[in-house]
Amino acid sequence: MDEKKMLIVDDDAGDRKMMRRHLSKLYPTNSILEAESGETARSFVDEEVEVIFLDYQLPDISGIDLMSSFFRRWPHCVIFIMTGQGDEEIAKSAILSGAADYISKSAITPGALQRMIANGLQVARMKWRIEEHQKELQQFSDVLVHDLRAPIRAIKFLSDQILEDFAAGDMDEVTREFDLMKKSVSKMSDLIERLASHINPHSEGAPEMIAAESLVESACLAISQDIANSDAIISTEHNDISVSCFPPDISQLLQNLISNSIKYRSKEQPQIDISVKQLSSGVQFAIQDNGIGVPEEYRKRIFEPFKRLQRSSDLPGSGLGLATCAKIAKRHDGEIWCDPNVSSGTLIRFSLKLPPPMTLPDQEDDEEETVVPAAFRDTQARARH
């Protein structure tokens, strides 16, 4: 995915210059786009915009009216409304329309911008996580109703049968029915554990820099018995790369992918190749195997909760493993996908792009010469007359 960008939408060239100057100093690695009208802003359809500073009044459209089209194109963007003069009604309508915050141009300083962006992104990400959890809870309830109904019915039926056969003195049949009941209980327990793992909230604490080699070793150690039982051969190419991440999450992600490669193996001895490469903003892992592969029509759907290949329906599993992988990658500002450019087996790639922590600007930045905003120029002109 392309690097995230910031967009300034303002018809005043001086205000845009001021904003670009402040933002470039605060976030020198970010790309900053400019638009002098709503029409120009809409032309950035191929860009990945994360933060938008939007003038309340543009020549061709109101900033408030423009927000809806921005949210359709960039549903997770954070929008800040700017105006030449403070107005409580404008601030209220901006927030109600989905803006993260509102600021008068006369109050814009590097420190104010950085606080707005940090707080806005934090609140927005919390909101997105809440929305995700709401969807997952709905899926959770659907599974409880559907997938748990069958084993519960089986346990009830077997309980009745056990009582009848025990009364009749048929202990062999009682033993067989108890074994069947244990399998039904085990199935329910496994499903509940997988659901709990999938909806588990974000890891606590701050991300760490950790060697990719250490993450792979940790994952392999956790499933060493499965690796040994399957006689799988695992090769790694980590290139001495370090990763910014929540280590337990990434270890779990790797465990799920390696386990899948073992579970969906072909008749050949499992061969799993794990490699890591550096990206411009993060890292990318690749896990390739010589298993049964994934048909083209399933390559996107397998990362959705409770989706499984039809031909693998006889294998154990709940359909949550890859969905959990997708969720973990997303928590790390990355993504996961099934590479289509393979002739046999499966190649899964995932990226991790946790941004570096933001640092406060030097105090002297506020004292440097700045471009005078339009609101100041208008006020000064009126004062002179």
Side-chain angles (χ1 to χ4, degrees), residues 9-70:
V9 186
D10 196 320
D11 61 317
D12 187 281
D15 289 339
R16 292 200 308 274
K17 185 176 181 181
M18 173 195 67
M19 290 294 297
R20 172 179 281 276
R21 179 170 174 269
H22 289 332
L23 293 174
S24 296
K25 284 192 173 183
L26 289 170
Y27 311 106
T29 61
N30 281 41
S31 299
I32 299 173
L33 308 172
E34 293 185 27
E36 72 279 1
S37 65
E39 182 180 0
T40 306
R42 289 194 188 99
S43 68
F44 294 113
V45 291
D46 296 327
E47 306 288 351
E48 280 299 328
V49 175
E50 184 177 36
V51 176
I52 300 175
F53 283 92
L54 177 59
D55 193 10
Y56 172 73
Q57 192 62 56
L58 296 166
D60 54 345
I61 190 173
S62 162
I64 301 294
D65 294 333
L66 189 58
M67 286 175 60
S68 59
S69 63
F70 284 164

Side-chain angles (χ1 to χ4, degrees), residues 264-333:
Y264 300 110
R265 60 185 180 270
S266 63
K267 294 180 180 180
E268 300 177 11
Q269 181 182 18
Q271 172 71 48
I272 304 169
D273 300 317
I274 304 171
S275 61
V276 191
K277 70 176 182 180
Q278 196 78 50
L279 302 176
S280 59
S281 58
V283 300
Q284 182 186 111
F285 284 76
I287 293 83
Q288 185 164 15
D289 62 46
N290 61 343
I292 61 176
V294 180
E296 184 177 354
E297 63 269 24
Y298 287 98
R299 287 175 182 165
K300 291 184 179 180
R301 295 178 58 195
I302 58 174
F303 297 103
E304 299 173 14
F306 316 114
K307 298 294 184 182
R308 303 184 67 204
L309 299 182
Q310 285 184 337
R311 67 188 188 187
S312 65
S313 57
D314 58 331
L315 294 172
S318 61
L320 282 170
L322 288 178
T324 302
C325 291
K327 187 175 179 182
I328 292 172
K330 189 174 182 180
R331 286 173 179 172
H332 288 73
D333 291 347

Side-chain angles (χ1 to χ4, degrees), residues 29 38 86 105 113 163 236 306 313 318 343 347 350:
T29 61
K105 293 181 181 178
L113 290 177
L163 287 174
T236 62
F306 316 114
S313 57
S318 61
S343 56
L347 172 56
F350 68 89

